[in-house]
Amino acid sequence: MNEFVTYQSEEKYAIITIHNGKANAISHEVIAGLNLSLDKAEQDDKIVILTGTPGIFSGGFDLKVMSKSAASAKELVTKGSKLSLRMLSFPKPIIIASNGHAIAKGAFLLLSADYRIGVEGDFKIGLNEVMIGMTMHNAGIAIAKSRLSEVYVNRSVNNAEIFNSKDAVKAGFLDVIVPENQLLPTAIKVAEMFTKLNKKAHAATKLQVRKPHLEALENAIELDLKSDISINV
């Protein structure tokens, strides 16, 4: 789709890969590439497998953009929130094959997918916004509340607790963890599982189950547009 996001079409699924430097940062270009890839998957009627690079799914938003100005940070965060809204309401199943670390927006992408597979090991997974001085935005809170239990919302959002792969399953960021060499094969098996679902029923049921959460996220995005992204130093 562009130099930061690639799209590989297979018979029953498409593999979308983020590759943007050491941190696999979520930049304007990455979000644009992801949206184009989702457009293509929807057009091709393909289940999505979203993955990163060895050792890291994503370290979060591009800090160069986030630190440039309040307006620049707000623009990127808003695009990221709208991407999560799209993923949570996407008519095709989205599977994430998380290669390792998933921090901040990387972890929010995990919370925006239908099935999340991680790699066994001492990888860092969680929401570190408060740790780095960012007051959590309304959309981030809405996404966390939609997928995490109240206990883990507090531990993740308020306390910025970071989990290893095993504990990330307990927290709700991942569904299962596998050895590194089984990551993509497992994602493909899950894709095969999804092919057994009725497509229309799956899409309609997803929207019904998530309706209150999607509405809350839409409202949160509007609130964030009227607010400043607060980064304290």
Side-chain angles (χ1 to χ4, degrees):
M1 292 293 111
N2 60 29
E3 63 181 296
F4 304 103
V5 179
T6 57
Y7 181 95
Q8 177 185 337
S9 182
E10 301 293 343
E11 183 181 356
K12 296 178 181 178
Y13 57 88
I15 300 175
I16 300 171
T17 306
I18 305 168
H19 44 89
N20 185 22
K22 184 178 179 181
N24 229 12
I26 305 299
S27 62
H28 290 293
E29 294 80 7
V30 167
I31 291 174
L34 289 173
N35 276 313
L36 286 171
S37 297
L38 291 175
D39 289 343
K40 178 68 171 166
E42 191 168 0
Q43 178 185 336
D44 293 347
D45 193 24
K46 296 289 178 69
I47 292 165
V48 170
I49 296 175
L50 176 59
T51 192
T53 54
I56 187 163
F57 176 60
S58 176
F61 284 127
D62 188 333
L63 292 180
K64 290 180 182 177
V65 178
M66 292 294 290
S67 60
K68 186 176 180 181
S69 68
S72 179
K74 185 175 182 176
E75 181 185 9
L76 185 57
V77 169
T78 300
K79 285 185 179 180
S81 299
K82 289 181 177 179
L83 173 62
S84 283
L85 179 63
R86 182 179 188 186
M87 290 174 63
L88 285 162
S89 56
F90 196 65
K92 311 300 176 187
I94 297 178
I95 303 157
I96 288 183
S98 179
N99 317 69
H101 304 298
I103 298 292
K105 188 59 189 180
F108 277 123
L109 291 181
L110 295 179
L111 297 178
S112 305
D114 296 296
Y115 203 96
R116 298 80 42 86
I117 307 157
V119 173
E120 295 173 351
D122 194 24
F123 293 106
K124 295 179 180 180
I125 299 166
L127 309 174
N128 72 339
E129 280 80 354
V130 169
M131 190 183 299
I132 63 172
M134 179 179 173
T135 300
M136 187 65 80
H137 53 304
N138 292 291
I141 294 169
I143 295 166
K145 283 184 173 181
S146 73
R147 302 301 297 273
L148 301 176
S149 70
E150 187 173 354
V151 169
Y152 281 104
V153 167
N154 281 281
R155 289 176 65 174
S156 299
V157 177
N158 295 344
N159 302 350
E161 187 172 345
I162 303 299
F163 304 96
N164 61 29
S165 297
K166 184 177 180 181
D167 290 338
V169 175
K170 297 177 185 176
F173 288 100
L174 297 171
D175 292 298
V176 295
I177 54 174
V178 297
E180 184 178 4
N181 65 356
Q182 289 300 307
L183 181 64
L184 192 55
T186 302
I188 292 169
K189 286 181 181 178
V190 174
E192 290 286 345
M193 175 190 75
F194 275 121
T195 64
K196 295 177 172 59
L197 302 180
N198 180 281
K199 295 175 184 178
K200 290 184 179 180
H202 168 77
T205 301
K206 181 192 294 189
L207 290 179
Q208 283 188 210
V209 169
R210 295 179 180 169
K211 183 179 179 181
H213 303 303
L214 294 172
E215 291 174 350
L217 180 52
E218 287 175 341
N219 291 334
I221 291 170
E222 291 302 314
L223 283 173
D224 286 333
L225 285 170
K226 298 173 184 176
S227 308
D228 292 326
I229 298 298
S230 177
I231 301 177
N232 305 291
V233 294

